[in-house]
Amino acid sequence: MCLCISFQDINWDYVLVCKPTSSDSPEEQKRQHYISVLLKKGFKTKKVRDGKVTFYGVRAPTDIFHKYVRLLHNPDKGHTSIESPVSPTSRIRIVHFILHNTAILFRGKEEKLQDLIKTQVFEAAFPLHTRKDQTREGLKKKWARWRDIIYVQPIEEIRAYYGEKVALYFAWLGWYTIMLLYAAVVGLIVFFYGFVHFDNSQISQEICTANNTLMCPLCDQNCPYWPLSDTCTYAKVTHLFDNEGTVFFAMFMAVWATVFLELWKRARANTVSGWNLYNWDEDEEELALELINDPECTIKKHEHSYWRSMAVLLGAAVVIAVLIGIAQALVIYRVVVTVSFVRSSWEFLREHANTAAVMSGAVLHYLTIVIMTKVNRVIAGYLCNLEKPRTFTERENSFTTKVFTFQFVTHFSSLFYVAFFLGRINGYPGNYVRIAGQWRLEECHPSGCITDLFIQMCVIMVLKQTLSNCVEYLSPYFSYKWRLMKDRRCRVHGEDGSEDSAAECWRTNYRLGAVHVFSLFDEFLEMVIQYSFTTIFVAAFPLAPVLAFLNNVLEIRLDAIKMTCLQRRFVPRKANDIGIWLQVLEAVGVLAVITNGLVIAVTSDFIPRLIYLYVYGPCANGNTEGINCLSGYVDSSLSVFYTKDFEDLTQVSRSLYTNVTECRYRDYRSAADYSFSTQFWHIFAARLGFLIVFEHVAVCIKFVAALFVPDIPQRVENYNLDMKKQHLLEELRYKAHTCVTYTPNMSYSSPH
C-alpha cells in the first residue's frame, strides 16, 4: 500500500541540502560562492534550516525557458500551461542541467555541483514531489497500488510526471510481461507433458530397476561402488526437462524472442506517435541547454583515441578473464565439496553428494553475483571515463554495454560450464583429469547433465528474483520509516528563526530514498538479465518464463510504489526509444538460438536417444511390435571399466561389494582399450548435424518473422506524414506572412 505523504504546493524547482558548518569553513565559502553564481544568473533562492540540515530552495527565472522554446521551436507544444512555456518535466530537466553545469572557481580549482556533493559541500540535490500535482495523485490512485495489479499502466500520465524515458521503460516492461504470458503457458504445457510421463519413461524404469549394475566410485579415497538404481528419483526428475517437448519449446522460444522484439518496435511506435519526438535530436537539445547556461561556453567536441580504445578493450578483457576465473573457482569448489559429501557420516548427504554440491555451488554462485555486481559497476564507470563520451546518452550507452557484458559473464559463465563442459572433459576411470593432480573433475549423472543445469538455473533465478525484490522494496521502505520516526519532532525554521511551515515539504522530500542518474539503468539491467535467463537456457528450464512472468507482475507495482511513494523524484529525460537496450536484447536473442541448439545437441540426451532408436535399438531393423524401442538404452550408454586398471590414487571402499572385477561409467568407449566407440562417433556426427540444421532453421524463422512484421504500423506512418504536412504548411504561411509585411517597405523605396 502506498505511503501517504503530504507535500505543500510550492513553486521551487530544486532543493539543495547541506550540513551546517562554520561561516569561515571552506565548505561554507564554496556554498555561498555557488549560491552567488546562481543569483547572478537570475535564480531565486531561499535558505531554511532545521538544526541538522540546511535547505536551499532554488527557482529558475522564466527567461531561460523562453530561450529553450525559441532555440528548439517549442518542443513541448501542447503540453505547456499559462504559467510556464515548457512542460513540468522539461522545466525540471532544464534546471537540473544548469545547476549541474554551473561551476565555481575556488582556490584555482573549478568545481561543479557534482564535485561539491562529493566533497560534502552539499549533501544532496533533487527536484520536488508536490502534493497538489494532479498527475502524481492520479498515479498513486491508478498505478502505485496493489489492487491495480491486473490493469493497464497509465503510460501518458507516467510520461507527464516522470518523462519519456521512464514512461518507455514501463511501456516496455508491460509489453514484455504480456508476451511472457504466452511463453509461460507453452512452458507449463511442456513441463506437464514431462510430468505426465514421470513414471512411464523407459529410461527411468531401467535405471530404477538396475540393482545389479555397479557404477564406478565417485571419488578416489574410500568411495564405494554403488548401484545405478540409487539414482532412480534423479532420473525421473531429469525426464521432466529432457523429453520430446524440449526441442519444440526451444524452437518456440527462438521465434518468441523475435516476435516479442518486432512487436515491441510497433508498440513503441504507437506509444511515442503523439509525443513529437521522432525528429528529436539529443545533440541539438544539449547544445541549446549549454548555450542557455552560458552563451560563451566552449562546446565539448566528440573525441576518439585508438590508444584509449585499446586500453578500454584490454581492461574489459582482463575483467572478463577474472570473472571466468571466478567461475572456474566455483568448479573447484564443487569438486572438493563433492568428495567431502561422499565421505560424510550422514547417509542422506552421502547418497545425494552430487546434488548437494551442485545446489551449494549455485548458492555460492549467487553470492559472487551480488558481490561482483558492485565491482563491475565501478570498473565500467572507470572505463567509461577513459573514453570521454560527449553526451549523457553516449556515456549511458558505453556504461550499459560494459556493465551488461560483465554481468552476463558473471551470471552465465558457470552455467555455460555446467551445460557444455561438465562431464565431457573429466576423462574416464583409470585416466581421470585432475585438479592439482589430486581432485577429479565432476561427472554427469548417468541420466544426463541437464538436471544439473536446471538446478543451477532454478536456484540462481529464484534467489535473484526473490531476494532482489525484497531488498529493492523493503530497503527504501524501512529507511523511509526510520527517517520519519527520527525526524518526527523536528521543526523547520527560516533564516530569521521563525517556523517555516511552507518549507516542510522540503524535509518530507529529503526523507525519501535517494535516486541517482543510473537508477533507471538498474531497473533495465535487472530485467534484461532476467530476459537472458528466460531465453538462453530455456531448453533446460521450461519454467523460466513462468517465474519471470510472476516476478514481473509484482515488479511493475513494486517499481511504481517505490518511485511514487518511497523515492525522491526522478529527473525526467527525453527519449524516443529504449536506446541501446534494444540492440542488447537482439544480441541475446541470437545467442539464445545458438545456446538452445547446443543444449539440445550437447547437454540433452535427445540425440543419443534418437541414434539408439534408429541405429542400435531393438527397433532399428523395423520390428516395433510389442517392443519399447528404447529398451536397453541405459545399458548402451554406459561403458565397462575393469577394476584392475584403476590408478594408484583410487582406493575403493569394499565394505559393501567385494570381488568386483568391472564397473560402469557414463561414456561411449570400448572395453578393450577405452577408446571412443563407433556409437560415440555416430552420436557426435548427429549432434553436429542437428546443431547446424536447428540454428539455420531458427535463424531463418527469426528473419522471416522480422521481415513479416513491420517496425512501424501504417497508422503511425500516416500520422507522421500528416504532421510533416501540417508543419510545412505552417512554415509556408509564416514565409508568406513575412513577405507581405516586407512589401510596403519595398514600395516605399521604389523610384516610382
Side-chain angles (χ1 to χ4, degrees):
M1 184 176 179
C2 185
L3 298 174
C4 294
I5 301 174
S6 296
F7 296 113
Q8 298 190 24
D9 187 12
I10 58 177
N11 296 322
W12 299 97
D13 298 314
Y14 230 81
V15 170
L16 308 176
V17 187
C18 63
K19 299 287 186 183
T21 57
S22 61
S23 59
D24 59 347
S25 66
E27 290 81 7
E28 183 65 24
Q29 293 177 25
K30 290 181 181 180
R31 200 175 298 136
Q32 294 306 319
H33 191 180
Y34 183 80
I35 296 298
S36 67
V37 173
L38 291 181
L39 292 174
K40 289 178 182 178
K41 291 184 176 183
F43 281 75
K44 295 179 181 179
T45 64
K46 179 179 181 180
K47 183 179 179 180
V48 174
R49 60 179 176 80
D50 72 344
K52 295 182 179 180
V53 295
T54 300
F55 298 100
Y56 287 90
V58 177
R59 178 171 175 80
T62 307
D63 66 296
I64 66 172
F65 305 116
H66 287 292
K67 290 178 183 177
Y68 177 82
V69 170
R70 290 198 303 271
L71 288 173
L72 296 178
H73 309 291
N74 195 10
D76 293 334
K77 185 178 181 180
H79 298 278
T80 58
S81 62
I82 298 175
E83 296 81 8
S84 177
V86 296
S87 65
T89 54
S90 290
R91 185 183 183 97
I92 293 173
R93 187 172 64 256
I94 295 167
V95 173
H96 171 85
F97 182 91
I98 294 176
L99 290 180
H100 281 76
N101 285 275
T102 296
I104 62 171
L105 192 64
F106 187 79
R107 295 177 182 175
K109 182 181 179 182
E110 186 179 85
E111 295 182 73
K112 294 184 179 180
L113 181 56
Q114 197 59 40
D115 302 314
L116 299 177
I117 292 175
K118 289 179 180 178
T119 56
Q120 298 299 308
V121 175
F122 291 106
E123 182 184 342
F126 49 85
L128 294 168
H129 289 293
T130 53
R131 180 176 64 85
K132 293 184 179 180
D133 191 305
Q134 297 300 318
T135 305
R136 180 169 182 265
E137 293 302 311
L139 289 176
K140 290 167 68 174
K141 292 178 181 178
K142 297 190 297 184
W143 184 50
R145 298 190 307 180
W146 288 112
R147 70 182 68 177
D148 301 320
I149 199 168
I150 62 173
Y151 294 104
V152 177
Q153 300 180 86
I155 298 300
E156 288 300 324
E157 287 85 347
I158 297 172
R159 179 219 173 194
Y161 193 74
Y162 290 111
E164 289 82 2
K165 196 160 191 173
V166 173
L168 279 170
Y169 163 72
F170 281 103
W172 174 83
L173 181 56
W175 183 256
Y176 171 44
T177 304
I178 291 172
M179 293 296 292
L180 272 175
L181 179 60
Y182 301 101
V185 170
V186 178
L188 282 173
I189 292 173
V190 172
F191 174 77
F192 282 118
Y193 172 81
F195 189 78
V196 168
H197 296 86
F198 186 77
D199 292 317
N200 300 328
S201 168
Q202 174 65 25
I203 297 172
S204 300
Q205 291 176 3
E206 288 187 5
I207 291 176
C208 292
T209 57
N211 298 310
N212 298 323
T213 302
L214 294 183
M215 303 298 293
C216 295
L218 295 174
C219 68
D220 290 328
Q221 304 298 322
N222 297 320
C223 285
Y225 300 106
W226 52 282
L228 181 59
S229 58
D230 285 353
T231 59
C232 176
T233 303
Y234 200 98
K236 291 180 178 180
V237 171
T238 298
H239 189 68
L240 287 174
F241 311 102
D242 190 4
N243 54 60
E244 292 76 7
T246 303
V247 180
F248 162 76
F249 190 55
M251 184 69 74
F252 170 82
M253 288 303 294
V255 177
W256 176 89
T258 301
V259 172
F260 158 64
L261 289 179
E262 294 303 318
L263 292 181
W264 158 247
K265 294 174 185 176
R266 293 174 62 84
R268 180 205 66 86
N270 277 319
T271 301
V272 305
S273 60
W275 293 0
N276 298 323
L277 288 177
Y278 272 102
N279 296 321
W280 172 71
D281 185 343
E282 186 203 14
D283 276 343
E284 184 182 18
E285 172 154 320
E286 188 159 318
L287 284 171
L289 293 177
E290 289 179 1
L291 292 172
I292 291 170
N293 181 48
D294 181 8
E296 299 179 358
C297 67
T298 301
I299 300 300
K300 184 179 179 181
K301 304 291 186 180
H302 291 282
E303 295 183 29
H304 180 266
S305 167
Y306 288 105
W307 290 109
R308 283 202 302 269
S309 298
M310 289 294 293
V312 169
L313 286 174
L314 182 61
V318 170
V319 174
I320 291 172
V322 170
L323 294 174
I324 294 175
I326 292 174
Q328 298 310 306
L330 292 173
V331 173
I332 296 173
Y333 165 82
R334 287 197 298 267
V335 169
V336 173
V337 298
T338 300
V339 176
S340 301
F341 290 163
V342 168
R343 297 175 182 174
S344 173
S345 58
W346 186 15
E347 183 179 355
F348 178 81
L349 184 60
R350 190 168 59 248
E351 292 177 352
H352 301 85
N354 187 60
T355 304
V358 171
M359 293 187 69
S360 63
V363 174
L364 186 61
H365 184 195
Y366 173 75
L367 295 177
T368 63
I369 289 172
V370 173
I371 296 170
M372 292 308 299
T373 295
K374 301 182 182 300
V375 177
N376 292 341
R377 291 176 65 92
V378 174
I379 298 174
Y382 176 75
L383 294 177
C384 281
N385 292 334
L386 287 179
E387 291 180 324
K388 296 184 178 181
R390 201 193 85 79
T391 64
F392 174 79
T393 299
E394 286 182 7
R395 173 176 292 276
E396 188 178 42
N397 288 347
S398 175
F399 186 75
T400 297
T401 303
K402 292 173 180 59
V403 172
F404 177 78
T405 302
F406 297 159
Q407 287 294 92
F408 185 87
V409 176
T410 302
H411 283 79
F412 288 94
S413 55
S414 181
L415 294 175
F416 272 92
Y417 170 79
V418 172
F420 307 128
F421 298 98
L422 177 63
R424 293 171 180 83
I425 58 173
N426 60 311
Y428 57 90
N431 189 28
Y432 282 117
V433 175
R434 302 176 185 276
I435 298 174
Q438 184 175 0
W439 293 292
R440 285 164 39 185
L441 290 179
E442 306 168 271
E443 298 181 44
C444 279
H445 187 271
S447 57
C449 290
I450 202 165
T451 302
D452 294 333
L453 180 59
F454 157 73
I455 292 173
Q456 190 98 342
M457 284 193 64
C458 186
V459 171
I460 294 173
M461 199 167 180
V462 170
L463 282 177
K464 181 173 174 57
Q465 294 189 161
T466 304
L467 296 182
S468 295
N469 281 341
C470 289
V471 172
E472 187 179 338
Y473 178 74
L474 294 179
S475 177
Y477 176 83
F478 286 118
S479 296
Y480 172 77
K481 285 293 188 181
W482 168 252
R483 287 191 294 268
L484 192 64
M485 181 179 65
K486 188 171 61 173
D487 297 341
R488 190 181 299 275
R489 297 183 180 180
C490 294
R491 294 285 185 181
V492 180
H493 300 277
E495 290 184 274
D496 60 355
S498 61
E499 185 177 316
D500 192 346
S501 58
E504 178 63 27
C505 77
W506 295 359
R507 181 200 288 161
T508 310
N509 276 267
Y510 176 62
R511 292 191 191 113
L512 297 174
V515 296
H516 53 82
V517 70
F518 287 118
S519 291
L520 189 63
F521 165 85
D522 294 335
E523 305 294 342
F524 255 122
L525 179 64
E526 179 186 355
M527 288 297 101
V528 175
I529 289 292
Q530 183 211 79
Y531 175 81
S532 302
F533 272 106
T534 305
T535 54
I536 288 181
F537 286 111
V538 74
F541 190 26
L543 294 179
V546 179
L547 295 180
F549 173 77
L550 296 176
N551 173 81
N552 289 5
V553 170
L554 299 176
E555 179 79 21
I556 291 174
R557 301 306 158 182
L558 282 176
D559 287 346
I561 294 171
K562 182 179 65 176
M563 291 175 61
T564 307
C565 307
L566 299 176
Q567 288 182 332
R568 296 169 189 162
R569 189 169 184 174
F570 273 64
V571 175
R573 296 195 179 276
K574 280 194 173 184
N576 54 15
D577 57 30
I578 59 174
I580 199 170
W581 289 113
L582 184 62
Q583 285 75 42
V584 172
L585 292 169
E586 289 176 338
V588 170
V590 173
L591 184 60
V593 172
I594 299 171
T595 306
N596 283 302
L598 285 169
V599 168
I600 297 170
V602 178
T603 313
S604 167
D605 274 358
F606 175 74
I607 299 300
R609 289 198 299 265
L610 282 182
I611 294 298
Y612 182 80
L613 190 67
Y614 293 107
V615 180
Y616 296 96
C619 299
N621 56 7
N623 182 19
T624 60
E625 293 186 8
I627 301 174
N628 189 309
C629 294
L630 287 177
S631 178
Y633 170 77
V634 172
D635 185 69
S636 75
S637 66
L638 300 175
S639 298
V640 175
F641 179 77
Y642 297 109
T643 57
K644 62 182 178 62
D645 295 328
F646 271 128
E647 299 170 281
D648 295 336
L649 288 173
T650 305
Q651 302 295 325
V652 183
S653 172
R654 303 183 185 276
S655 57
L656 297 177
Y657 300 96
T658 58
N659 299 323
V660 177
T661 59
E662 62 181 47
C663 61
R664 310 296 294 274
Y665 63 99
R666 178 182 168 83
D667 210 339
Y668 295 95
R669 292 182 180 270
S670 168
D673 57 0
Y674 305 120
S675 61
F676 288 123
S677 63
T678 304
Q679 189 173 356
F680 168 84
W681 295 110
H682 283 169
I683 293 172
F684 179 82
R687 280 174 164 164
L688 184 61
F690 172 83
L691 182 62
I692 294 172
V693 172
F694 175 87
E695 292 184 358
H696 278 73
V697 170
V699 168
C700 287
I701 293 175
K702 284 172 65 66
F703 176 77
V704 171
L707 193 64
F708 184 75
V709 182
D711 291 351
I712 302 176
Q714 283 189 354
R715 182 187 65 80
V716 175
E717 289 184 332
N718 292 331
Y719 172 81
N720 292 333
L721 197 61
D722 290 338
M723 291 298 100
K724 290 177 181 178
K725 176 185 175 183
Q726 182 178 345
H727 173 72
L728 292 173
L729 287 174
E730 289 177 355
E731 289 290 323
L732 191 62
R733 283 194 293 267
Y734 174 76
K735 294 294 183 183
H737 176 71
T738 304
C739 291
V740 168
T741 56
Y742 188 65
T743 300
N745 292 332
M746 293 295 293
S747 301
Y748 179 76
S749 60
S750 172
H752 301 289

